[in-house]
Amino acid sequence: MMPEQPADRSAFIVTAIGDYVKSPGNSLRNADGEPAFGTPLVGFSRGDDPLYGEIKADIGDFYFTPFEIFHATFPLAAVSPSDLTVISYVLPQTEKTRRDQAREKIFACERWARSRLYGEEFILKLGAHLVTLFADNGYEALCPGASTKWEKAMSQRHGIASTWSERHTAYASGLGTFGLCDGLITPLGKAVRLGSVVAHIDIPPTPRPYKDHHEYCLFYSQGTCGACIKRCPVGAISKDGHDKTRCQPYTSITGHKHSLEHYNIDTTPCGLCQAGVPCESGIPPQDHTDPRELSALRTG
């Protein structure tokens, strides 16, 4: 039964997510039955957080705020943005997956491809599990990633985008900031996958321990690192940021073909910029400027 006090509900949800991640469904579906993800990190944000309006203004009019996607899903619900809570969760790649991925130079490793397909399926099941949990306790909720309202769109400023971004949601929920390659650097690192649920429930928001959306990235905060630039096999990352026009075709066409031919896995993996870098498994120390150490990380 969901606790009555808002402050207690957050702990209840964190435990529910952690327990579900321990279930057999969290699997790479390989011969050893390895889990796809490690222990998750959870954050909360309010539906009326002004940051969601800023994100929408930055990405485009097509982008949903929490209230907009909730209202589109439950048009008869009498709610205001302040009545909603967004639950965001970070699921870290396992050490074995990160180790294998860091060794690769051109294509994603098999464990990463499995996580891209089977891990993402699990994340959507986790979202459905939470929606059911909320419903059983009398709260309306939805998983944006599984919603029919979710679709790709073209942002005038950012190119290929979508109507809901798990990375921006996690950023708003106090879970991390963006890196040079556009990946989210969290306390569990950048080698992660993300999910979220929007619910008509009162849960205190997680404080954002950062003031800038690039605060955890060494390139932006100190002008150092740039390890992800060398990790990209098609030059889609530079000091100017992430070029989606180079990244997307490589992932969806070249990476897809390789995954099918070599792993028999029908998915579109890459993620080389998320491993073999200082922010792979945590927030890099802000004094991490030793070029020899960075070079070792780049080359594995």
Side-chain angles (χ1 to χ4, degrees), residues 131-233:
V131 168
T132 299
L133 179 64
F134 280 118
D136 289 345
N137 284 273
Y139 301 100
E140 295 166 313
L142 71 118
C143 175
S147 172
T148 57
K149 309 297 181 183
W150 188 98
E151 61 183 6
K152 291 184 178 180
M154 187 61 66
S155 167
Q156 184 175 358
R157 182 174 181 180
H158 300 287
I160 299 172
S162 61
T163 52
W164 182 267
S165 167
E166 302 295 359
R167 290 177 299 117
H168 286 80
T169 300
Y171 166 66
S173 301
L175 295 178
T177 71
F178 295 87
L180 182 63
C181 72
D182 280 347
L184 195 76
I185 302 172
T186 77
L188 300 179
K190 190 170 62 176
V192 300
R193 296 200 68 82
L194 309 166
S196 62
V197 163
V198 181
H200 183 190
I201 192 173
D202 183 15
I203 297 177
T206 302
R208 287 192 285 270
Y210 34 78
K211 297 180 179 180
D212 182 80
H213 68 289
H214 284 139
E215 190 166 315
Y216 295 160
C217 177
L218 294 175
F219 181 86
Y220 287 114
S221 65
Q222 295 191 19
T224 63
C225 190
C228 58
I229 295 175
K230 291 191 174 183
R231 287 289 292 162
C232 182

Side-chain angles (χ1 to χ4, degrees), residues 60-127:
D61 289 340
F62 57 84
Y63 190 82
F64 285 116
T65 64
F67 175 74
E68 288 170 340
I69 195 167
F70 189 91
H71 182 66
T73 306
F74 302 102
L76 300 181
V79 300
S80 64
S82 61
D83 296 324
L84 303 176
T85 293
V86 182
I87 301 95
S88 177
Y89 30 95
V90 177
L91 285 85
Q93 303 281 2
T94 65
E95 183 178 356
K96 288 183 178 180
T97 297
R98 289 188 283 105
R99 177 198 63 198
D100 288 358
Q101 183 77 342
R103 291 172 179 160
E104 297 297 328
K105 308 298 180 184
I106 301 175
F107 297 107
C109 68
E110 181 176 347
R111 283 189 172 95
W112 194 277
R114 288 182 174 277
S115 174
R116 176 70 180 86
L117 179 61
Y118 305 124
E120 188 63 26
E121 290 178 358
F122 173 75
I123 290 175
L124 293 180
K125 290 179 180 178
L126 169 57

Side-chain angles (χ1 to χ4, degrees), residues 243-273:
D243 184 347
K244 295 182 181 180
T245 62
R246 289 190 178 191
C247 176
Q248 291 289 338
Y250 182 77
T251 300
S252 60
I253 300 173
T254 309
H256 180 221
K257 180 180 178 182
H258 182 269
S259 184
L260 276 175
E261 292 181 350
H262 293 265
Y263 310 141
N264 194 30
I265 299 174
D266 187 5
T267 190
T268 55
C270 183
L272 291 177
C273 59

